[in-house]
Amino acid sequence: MSKDHQPRDPHPDNEFDSLAFDPDPREAGADAAATALDEQLQSALAEASANHDKFLRAQAELDTYRRRVQKEREEDRKFATLPAVKELLPVLDNLQRAVDAADKADSVADLKSGVEMVLRQSIDILKRLQITPIASVGQPFDPNLHEAVSQMPSAEYPPMTVMLEVERGYTLHDRVIRPSKVIVSAGAAPPNA
C-alpha cells in the first residue's frame, strides 16, 4: 500500500490533543470579555448596594429630623403664651394690691386711682404685644370688626353707624381676636303721628 492509501486512525491522539490544548483565539477573547463584564457587574452591584445604604441612612436622618421638628413645634405651641403671661403677671399683682388697699382705703377715689393705674398698665402690655383696640363708636358698622347686639333709632348717628360700644374688640396685627359688641343706629326715629 502506498502512503496515500493508508487507513486513517479514527481517533488519532495527536489531532485531539492539539484541539484540547490549542485554545481558539475567539474563545479566549470571549472569556476575557465575560470576565470584564463580570467585574463590571460586580462593581455596579457593589455601587448599587452602597447607594442603597446611603439612601436608607438619608431616609432615617430625614425621619429623625422630621420628628425633632414636630417635637419642637409642639413645644413652641405648648409654651406660645409664655411671653404674654409674663407680661400679665404684674397686672395681677397690682390688682391684688388694689383689692388689699380697698380694705384699708378711706375713699373710693383712692380705689379708683389704683384700678385706673392697673388699667393703664394692662393697655401698655397689650400695645407691646401688638394688640390694638378696634375703633367703634361713630364708625360705619363693619361685620368683620363689629358684632351688632341690637339696633336703635338715633337722630345723632346715620343708619348703620355704631352708636355705642358694649364690649371692646381687639386685633392682633391684622387679625381680629374678638369683634367689638356694638349697638348700631337704625337712623332717626319716625315722628309720632
Side-chain angles (χ1 to χ4, degrees):
M1 282 191 138
S2 70
K3 285 182 180 181
D4 294 333
H5 295 300
Q6 287 184 355
R8 288 175 135 199
D9 184 4
H11 303 290
D13 290 336
N14 60 359
E15 198 174 310
F16 287 118
D17 290 341
S18 68
L19 289 175
F21 294 109
D22 189 19
D24 185 358
R26 289 177 291 181
E27 288 181 14
D31 286 343
T35 302
L37 286 175
D38 190 42
E39 289 173 1
Q40 287 178 347
L41 176 63
Q42 293 303 321
S43 173
L45 288 172
E47 185 179 347
S49 177
N51 288 337
H52 183 68
D53 288 345
K54 287 179 186 177
F55 166 75
L56 291 176
R57 282 191 195 104
Q59 191 173 21
E61 288 174 8
L62 181 61
D63 289 343
T64 301
Y65 171 76
R66 285 181 180 152
R67 282 192 297 272
R68 187 178 76 238
V69 168
Q70 182 178 357
K71 183 179 178 182
E72 288 172 0
R73 283 184 185 160
E74 288 170 2
E75 285 287 315
D76 288 346
R77 281 188 210 118
K78 185 177 180 180
F79 295 105
T81 58
L82 188 62
V85 170
K86 283 183 178 181
E87 292 280 343
L88 289 173
L89 288 177
V91 172
L92 290 175
D93 294 338
N94 287 334
L95 279 174
Q96 185 61 51
R97 287 184 194 107
V99 168
D100 293 343
D103 291 337
K104 301 173 189 170
D106 294 335
S107 70
V108 175
D110 292 339
L111 180 60
K112 181 181 177 196
S113 173
V115 172
E116 286 174 343
M117 179 187 73
V118 174
L119 180 61
R120 283 191 303 275
Q121 184 182 22
S122 300
I123 291 170
D124 290 343
I125 290 170
L126 292 178
K127 284 180 186 176
R128 285 196 302 269
L129 295 174
Q130 305 298 313
I131 297 172
T132 56
I134 296 172
S136 295
V137 177
Q139 301 294 316
F141 176 76
D142 181 349
N144 297 312
L145 301 174
H146 306 119
E147 179 183 330
V149 293
S150 72
Q151 196 172 18
M152 293 174 42
S154 170
E156 184 181 349
Y157 294 99
M160 295 307 294
T161 301
V162 175
M163 55 187 273
L164 185 66
E165 182 179 70
V166 177
E167 188 176 87
R168 183 165 287 168
Y170 294 91
T171 60
L172 174 62
H173 302 292
D174 60 347
R175 184 177 289 178
V176 174
I177 299 172
R178 177 180 81 184
S180 296
K181 291 186 179 177
V182 297
I183 297 175
V184 180
S185 170
N192 290 340

